[in-house]
Amino acid sequence: MRKQDHRYAIAEIDADEARRFRDGFAGRLSNDELAELVGDRIERFRTVGHHDYAPNSPEWRALAQDLCAARYEAMAREAERAEGDFNGKPSHPTIASATPEPEKAPKGETIIDLYDRYARENAKGISADTLTQARRDVKLFADTIGNIPPGKITGRHVGEWKDLLMQYPVKAAEIAAFRGMTMRQTIKKNETVKKPTISDRTVNRYLSAVGAFCDWLVLRGYLERNPVTGLHQSIDKTKRSTVPFTTDQLNTLFASPLFTGCQNDDDWHKPGNHMIRDHRFWIPLVMLFSGARPGEIAQLAVSDVRQEHGIWIMHITEEGDGDKSVKTKGSMRVVPIHPELVRLGFLKYHAAIKEAGETRFFPNATRNKRGQMVADFSRDFGRYLTRIKIKSGRGVSLYSFRHGAADALRRAGHLDEQFGFILGHTSHTMTGRYGVLPQGMLQQRVDLVNSIAYPGLKIDHLAD
């Protein structure tokens, strides 16, 4: 686990001292013993303008017992938190009566209730996948800070949650050891499980989900200001958590069983005579020569791969038949098909799948239970990279192909602002929606995509 200076570090508990405070409020200690324990506290109580009780008077003793109770309750809560229980409440009547119940959100106005209204409104046209992911992030926040009214969310709530995020294990929801645990319990358990914690970029993803929702709360008058503002982690953009594959890594990958023959559909990493030629084969190659996202490729309809002005294109869109979505409206775009994909048999695959009467280009590509397209393949691909000894820890993943395409465009002399639209980094246009481009504009895109090249790449053996 990442070591941090944490302002909420739990103090060591002295069991003997705790018993003395317990005996003090229970009335089992003499006045001299009470004076030793809480005499200084009574003096401070007197000097700030409260009643000046005579030493050893009944009023003095009652105050001393209440102060013992307060200290014992504080120590009890510390001990509970050391065990991962953050739900403790005072049990001593004096302390309990002085502890106001936190204000609770009324039915239908909880944080998650309002998030669902925000998602239905979706004024910024955010994709369904992104909204679903953000809802999980906001729910984690809501479950952690408690059922407070959304209008009562403060920077302190967000700041304390951020402190927890920076100790939160990677993919905690998928790890059996953390099943059924709260966020705080998960973090405590991870002291022994020792799973790696999420990156600063992932911390920022959680904060962005809550921040976008809080922007909406401000617009709707629930909050005066966004409490997430200024709390994102500073990211060194020269250090990327996902990096492109090296040429050697690409050559190792494309010479591995997934691409050259494996035992069966389940055992990709074992050499054999079974040839995989579905989305698992094509998504990495299409990403390599287009920079498209895996979900965008996996959801293509057969009709989304077509000719415009005699040029073969992929129309990445949420329009038309099928269960499709894009990250943002600006992600809808036309991407010419790279000559290397044609050489490898991409159009032959298109003809065969069309002849088979399929409407989806990759009919076996599926969404997971969270609605994320080919998320299971993305996870399994990362494990595959580890099995064939390309990956060790973080660094390369399915998204490394997308980063590699961006670097290839830079190597060809293009600036980021010149090719951002090819990767789906642009504002919403009707061209993107309907996929119709003038011939001149389309040719410019052809020139961009065709400049993607990888010196030393060995993939001739994959050609159909």
Side-chain angles (χ1 to χ4, degrees):
M1 176 182 289
R2 184 182 347 197
K3 299 293 184 183
Q4 297 183 64
D5 293 329
H6 200 288
R7 53 189 170 142
Y8 302 107
I10 299 171
E12 294 183 359
I13 305 301
D14 186 322
D16 290 334
E17 185 181 14
R19 280 192 289 272
R20 292 184 68 204
F21 281 110
R22 181 193 61 196
D23 291 345
F25 81 71
R28 291 193 287 268
L29 297 185
S30 68
N31 285 356
D32 287 343
E33 290 171 315
L34 286 172
E36 179 187 347
L37 276 179
V38 295
D40 60 335
R41 291 177 174 82
I42 293 176
E43 179 62 18
R44 288 200 297 272
F45 187 80
R46 183 188 67 78
T47 56
V48 294
H50 296 279
H51 295 293
D52 188 6
Y53 296 131
N56 299 322
S57 65
E59 294 84 3
W60 180 94
R61 184 173 175 84
L63 175 59
Q65 287 177 288
D66 284 344
L67 290 170
C68 283
R71 181 60 186 136
Y72 178 76
E73 290 283 3
M75 296 179 80
R77 299 294 82 73
E78 288 174 337
E80 290 166 353
R81 291 184 178 207
E83 296 301 319
D85 179 3
F86 289 76
N87 297 313
K89 294 182 179 180
S91 57
H92 187 273
T94 301
I95 309 303
S97 64
T99 306
E101 282 290 322
E103 184 179 354
K104 293 184 178 180
K107 186 176 181 181
E109 291 282 317
T110 66
I111 290 173
I112 206 66
D113 288 333
L114 291 191
Y115 179 85
D116 288 339
R117 284 170 54 186
Y118 154 77
R120 286 194 297 271
E121 183 176 304
N122 195 12
K124 294 184 178 180
I126 301 169
S127 75
D129 284 355
T130 301
L131 284 171
T132 301
Q133 174 67 65
R135 189 183 193 278
R136 289 193 294 273
D137 297 345
V138 171
K139 188 174 189 307
L140 181 66
F141 174 68
D143 289 345
T144 303
I145 70 170
N147 184 30
I148 67 171
K152 299 293 185 181
I153 299 172
T154 66
R156 179 175 178 179
H157 289 121
V158 180
E160 291 179 3
W161 187 57
K162 177 185 173 181
D163 290 339
L164 295 174
L165 283 172
M166 294 179 72
Q167 305 170 72
Y168 199 52
V170 174
K171 298 187 182 297
E174 300 176 12
I175 297 173
F178 305 137
R179 191 166 294 133
M181 291 186 177
T182 66
M183 187 178 190
R184 292 186 176 94
Q185 290 168 342
T186 296
I187 292 168
K188 178 65 180 175
K189 178 71 173 177
N190 200 41
E191 292 178 9
T192 54
V193 176
K194 298 187 183 304
K195 293 291 185 181
T197 54
I198 63 177
S199 68
D200 286 346
R201 289 181 184 276
T202 305
V203 169
N204 283 351
R205 188 207 78 200
Y206 280 96
L207 292 173
S208 294
V210 175
F213 170 53
C214 286
D215 276 341
W216 183 84
L217 291 177
V218 171
L219 289 173
R220 288 304 189 98
Y222 289 93
L223 291 170
E224 291 186 4
R225 60 176 296 275
N226 190 330
V228 182
T229 301
L231 285 175
H232 285 76
Q233 283 292 93
S234 177
I235 301 295
D236 182 354
K237 293 187 178 180
T238 65
K239 297 179 180 178
R240 293 183 289 192
S241 57
T242 301
V243 298
F245 291 107
T246 65
T247 301
D248 286 343
Q249 287 173 328
L250 286 173
N251 288 336
T252 298
L253 173 62
F254 291 125
S256 70
L258 173 60
F259 294 92
T260 60
C262 58
Q263 284 197 359
N264 53 56
D265 273 343
D266 296 323
D267 296 316
W268 311 346
H269 64 292
K270 297 178 181 178
N273 296 321
H274 180 72
M275 303 300 290
I276 289 177
R277 288 296 183 268
D278 58 12
H279 62 281
R280 293 168 294 177
F281 176 87
W282 284 111
I283 285 176
L285 289 166
V286 176
M287 291 184 73
L288 187 67
F289 289 107
S290 72
R293 300 176 180 93
E296 295 172 338
I297 301 165
Q299 70 179 10
L300 286 169
V302 172
S303 59
D304 292 331
V305 177
R306 61 179 183 269
Q307 282 188 302
E308 293 287 340
H309 304 296
I311 295 168
W312 281 95
I313 63 149
M314 292 183 297
H315 184 200
I316 295 171
T317 180
E318 63 181 10
E319 303 291 328
D321 296 333
D323 177 21
K324 296 193 286 186
S325 63
V326 290
K327 187 170 184 179
T328 67
K329 296 294 184 184
S331 296
M332 292 193 285
R333 62 198 186 278
V334 169
V335 181
I337 295 172
H338 195 286
E340 278 295 279
L341 294 176
V342 176
R343 187 173 73 87
L344 295 176
F346 188 73
L347 296 184
K348 290 182 181 178
Y349 173 85
H350 174 260
I353 206 76
K354 186 176 182 179
E355 179 68 23
E358 298 285 355
T359 57
R360 293 186 57 217
F361 200 78
F362 296 114
N364 294 331
T366 59
R367 295 182 183 272
N368 65 6
K369 61 183 179 181
R370 295 178 176 179
Q372 298 165 313
M373 179 59 81
V374 290
D376 292 342
F377 169 62
S378 181
R379 178 200 63 211
D380 292 341
F381 187 80
R383 294 172 179 172
Y384 179 75
L385 294 176
T386 301
R387 283 180 166 178
I388 62 174
K389 304 189 184 309
I390 287 179
K391 178 178 180 179
S392 177
R394 290 175 176 166
V396 292
S397 69
L398 190 60
Y399 267 79
S400 292
F401 294 111
R402 183 167 160 85
H403 288 275
D407 276 1
L409 287 161
R410 295 182 185 111
R411 282 196 304 272
H414 304 296
L415 302 177
D416 286 24
E417 55 266 30
Q418 293 174 318
F419 63 76
F421 64 89
I422 288 290
L423 303 181
H425 298 156
T426 187
S427 58
H428 175 43
T429 66
M430 296 306 288
T431 292
R433 180 177 180 183
Y434 294 112
V436 178
L437 280 171
Q439 188 168 0
M441 289 180 63
L442 183 56
Q443 186 58 51
Q444 290 175 352
R445 298 192 180 205
V446 169
D447 295 340
L448 269 176
V449 168
N450 287 1
S451 72
I452 298 174
Y454 302 90
L457 180 64
K458 299 175 181 177
I459 55 173
D460 288 350
H461 60 285
L462 302 182
D464 187 4

